[in-house]
Amino acid sequence: MKEYQTITEISGPLVFAEVDEPVGYDEMVEIETPQGETLRGQVLESSEGLVSIQVFEGTGGIDRNASVRFLGETMKMPVTEDLLGRVLDGSGNPIDGGPEIVPDDRVDIVGEAINPYSREYPEEFIQTGVSAIDGMNTLVRGQKLPIFSGSGLPHNELALQIARQASVPEEEEGDDEEGSEFAVIFGAMGITQEEANEFMQDFERTGALERSVVFMNLADDPAVERQVTPRLVLTTAEYLAFEKGYHVLVILTDITNYCEALREIGAAREEVPGRRGYPGYMYTDLAQLYERAGRIEGNEGSVTQIPILTMPGDDDTHPIPDLTGYITEGQIVMDRDLNSQGIEPPVNVLPSLSRLMDDGIGEGLTREDHGDVSDQMYAAYAEGEDLRDLVNIVGREALSERDNKFLDFADRFETEFVQQGYDTNRSIEETLDLGWDLLSMLPKEALNRIDEDLIEKYYREEEAETAEVEA
Amino acid sequence: MSQAEDIESVDEDGVIESVSGPVVTATDLDARMNDVVYVGDEGLMGEVIEIEGNLTTIQVYEETSGVGPGEPVQNTGEPLSVDLGPGMLNAIYDGVQRPLDELEEKMGSAFLDRGVDAPGIDFEREWEFTPSVAEGEIVEPGDVIGKVPETASITHKVMVPPNYEGGEISSIETGEFTVDEVIAELDSGEEITMHQEWPVRRARPSDEKETPTEPLVSGQRILDGLFPIAKGGTAAIPGPFGSGKTVTQHQLAKWADADIVVYVGCGERGNEMTEVIEDFPELEDPKTGKPLMSRTCLIANTSNMPVAARESCIYTGITIAEYFRDMGYDVALMADSTSRWAEAMREISSRLEEMPGEEGYPAYLAARLSEFYERAGKFQLINGEEGSISVIGAVSPPGGDFSEPVTQNTLRIVKTFWALDADLAERRHFPSINWNESYSLYRQQLDPWFRENVAEDWPERRQWGVDVLDEEGELQEIVQLVGKDALPEDQQLTLEVARYLREAWLQQNAFHDVDTYCEPEKTYRMLGAIKTFNDEAFDALEAGVPVEEIQDVDAAPQLNRMGVADDWNEFIDELESDLKQQIRALY
């Protein structure tokens, strides 16, 4: 391996070095500082005689005399089933004081795209135990469903609740010992030590750690490393899912920090910036992360992703949530107003969406009435929401009886259906029954999205009468 | 993609000078613009996009990790072309026409490896060829010389390639042949096979464009009823994420009455393409009863597949569409999404350090978009027949803001605009096409067809619906301020009628077996039933019946069930008579 002491320029996270042999694009680099510290980096651009290197740990301490070694290969992740239960840093080195990792295989972290022909369409319902998700925005295996949140909102609690409760209903009944196992891979990018502790404590408290792999890139770790962390996470996830047959749930937090790092590097490379200074290739870059969710035909395992992102200024047209929404299969949106009303989890179902829901629910999967109930609740809640604006102006008395019922529906929907607390685990049956409790407040004729037979079967006359009396 | 196998024509090899993502520069490469080259030791496919002195810039269609300076670059001397011939229907390709099923087999893995090539059509398979011309006949470029039953519903017509001279047929065969066996010879010495190649960036020739007068019936009420597109027309569907672009595109691919459907998934989700691959073979064409897949060609370049191939997939799709048009078919091409295509251009352009135009997009964005949409149309073909290509492009504007360059440049070209609306989508009003913002410039020229084939008063009835919806829009502004009950009774009734128009007529459930496809006659009759309610209700109001009583007649909510009614003709007959009877009973 050839060593060079030919650094010509150091700028931000980038180092430029002259070489006399060709170096491959994306190859790994080690830089040894005069103090004896070894830093790692990656080739960003390779031309004859000159390469630019992005250094993961930051360029502090590097001078012109530092020596540069090219490792002759792209970045690899050492993978093994023994990773379960381990805590690693953002570059994949163990930080839990455990034994050294003996890899089964070393896999390129720039994953190859799954051939769309080889994919299997996701339609296996995952019960998260959260009504706002199960009932209204159902998650299925192999889906990528981000949580759109904002600073100060309890997205971590929701993510943890999902990680704790996620299960597939039929497995509970059957002998699940034999079936595929569940694993959680947690990738932290630029979160604070305190948040990290919150996750770790919960993992330890619930014993979830032994079926988890944790990657930690904290707020004070180098930003450039954040580019690598999610790729290590997903490479590990793919290995466990498609080689070892696990059902892997990947939680990535916080994508916003990842994108900031992308912008930082783009600026250092003097690239032409796109919207709000983010690089023009951010869509492609994010797609290379999110699209690594899915199922493969003939394969037991699956990768399901729940990325978390905080929307700057709660603005969902900001490039980060915007590009994410165009790639992911829906989104769960957290709402500041609901949060201040004390609703737990404060999920606003109206802008939330699960694109894969239609194929994952219904008879044989969840329950025959699921699709209609969810549609009807959406429509009724949306109508109630609209009426609230009106009430502010004209007052409740000016509204018709029908309108008042919709207003009540919207209130109860928030305080009874969405509200459940972070420790309540509701089965899908409970969620749907709760839905019927609420829908039965409305007159039968107003349920125009539900099949008549289903109304006959599930509609509760008593509820309707109570509502009548109250009104 | 077309494999340039004649290695003799290969020019001098070049050497890689630098690598930056999908953009590679090479020195000493003797190449023309848009030549296809093989890059590096692994032979990754690329295309020449810039030549400057001794330096050639190449966009590479595969991942370039690990490729370094000094590796060779080999020129094929040919532009990026597609293989055309029997075997393209029922197929699924990536952005450079490599069949994905074949790639899976060759790579032996579910993941896409690099440096593997495969021809776009099967060169081994034999097809049953029946000539339709005899020896001694004179044929010209574009003329059909015989037929191949390609799939259950489509007959493939074998044509004299448009770049031939033509002449007298000196011999023609009958029987089973592979696509590169000679099936006919001309006295000019030209040999005809079932296989043609065509460079994707050049439109296939045609005589002239005509004004389209027939609608592309989609079975979607809001489209057929309010904003129709013509066979040979262009349409754009812009909308923020989650507003239903892809579902609308899928519905069109499923139910549009085109002969051939080319579906280009450009930079979109992998699972969505899988859904198409799994769903389409099971669905039946409402006209022929044959599987939908047998008239469909899919091109899937998902968002995580290499960006340069995303740039080319649109061209691959339209060239295949043109080939079927040349056979005299009506082709519909869906591109989902053209924004990803534009972004791919932007990405390559910024790697080339070109001067950016608006929002970082290259200055030639508008030109490329119009070039693409201009390849649509109803054509007089060079063989005297007629064929058409309708293009429907989805647009994904950032933040749902229609003022961004891709939407704006698209709107300057297309004649039908289906604006998707996030508010409608949030309340699960699907298809969430906003009826106030959308338009179709084909209405006038298609009206005669609707009058003749559906109902004489189609345009008038449609206008009635539009007027009611317009009036509702204005009334809603007042309602927002004072509440519904403060309005005079006639206006309250208008709101009620408009609600039925929205909920019973404009909304359509794509996932319901019956409602997913609505023939134009049913669209017309459903509108008629709502109009019956309207007319009867206003008569009753005039006779002094309070509006609440009219709204509460038992039959009225049944209007919402029309869409899912199987035997809709009887259902609507009955409903209309119920409405009349019940409302008249009030006074």
Side-chain angles (χ1 to χ4, degrees), chain A residues 88-290:
Chain A
L88 313 170
D89 70 3
S91 304
N93 306 309
I95 48 171
D96 54 0
E100 205 175 310
I101 291 160
V102 186
D104 269 358
D105 198 0
R106 300 178 69 248
V107 187
D108 206 318
I109 66 159
V110 185
E112 287 159 345
I114 303 179
N115 188 332
Y117 181 80
S118 313
R119 277 181 188 267
E120 190 173 322
Y121 193 64
E123 44 198 5
E124 248 183 307
F125 166 65
I126 299 181
Q127 180 174 302
T128 63
V130 180
S131 293
I133 296 178
D134 291 351
M136 311 294 283
N137 298 288
T138 315
L139 177 69
V140 298
R141 272 186 180 159
Q143 185 173 17
K144 38 196 180 296
L145 189 64
I147 298 177
F148 282 17
S149 186
S151 317
L153 292 180
H155 41 263
N156 293 344
E157 282 79 358
L158 179 60
L160 278 168
Q161 186 178 14
I162 295 172
R164 252 190 337 258
Q165 300 179 353
S167 69
V168 175
E170 71 225 355
E171 275 185 12
E172 285 174 359
E173 300 152 20
D175 43 334
D176 56 331
E177 297 305 310
E178 311 233 330
S180 300
E181 281 180 78
F182 223 71
V184 177
I185 305 192
F186 178 72
M189 292 167 284
I191 64 169
T192 59
Q193 183 70 54
E194 218 167 303
E195 277 177 283
N197 289 346
E198 209 179 297
F199 276 100
M200 289 309 299
Q201 277 159 11
D202 195 86
F203 280 151
E204 278 163 19
R205 180 172 65 86
T206 57
L209 190 61
E210 58 189 82
R211 53 176 186 128
S212 310
V213 190
V214 178
F215 289 83
M216 288 277 181
N217 166 285
L218 298 181
D220 54 351
D221 287 336
V224 185
E225 194 182 79
R226 267 161 228 167
Q227 286 224 286
V228 184
T229 311
R231 295 189 160 79
L232 296 172
V233 168
L234 291 163
T235 307
T236 312
E238 280 174 350
Y239 172 81
L240 289 175
F242 303 131
E243 301 288 327
K244 299 292 170 193
Y246 282 85
H247 288 297
V248 183
L249 179 69
V250 175
I251 298 176
L252 293 170
T253 181
D254 177 332
I255 295 290
T256 306
N257 296 334
Y258 172 81
C259 292
E260 297 291 338
L262 212 58
R263 175 162 71 175
E264 186 181 330
I265 293 154
R269 291 169 70 178
E270 296 175 7
E271 289 169 345
V272 183
R275 275 177 77 214
R276 303 231 191 154
Y278 293 95
Y281 49 80
M282 195 158 88
Y283 178 81
T284 308
D285 195 280
L286 286 173
Q288 280 168 353
L289 301 183
Y290 297 142

Side-chain angles (χ1 to χ4, degrees), chain A residues 54-71:
Chain A
Q54 124 186 343
V55 184
F56 299 141
E57 287 94 341
T59 45
I62 302 180
D63 65 5
R64 285 199 189 77
N65 300 321
S67 64
V68 181
R69 275 196 304 275
F70 296 94
L71 304 184

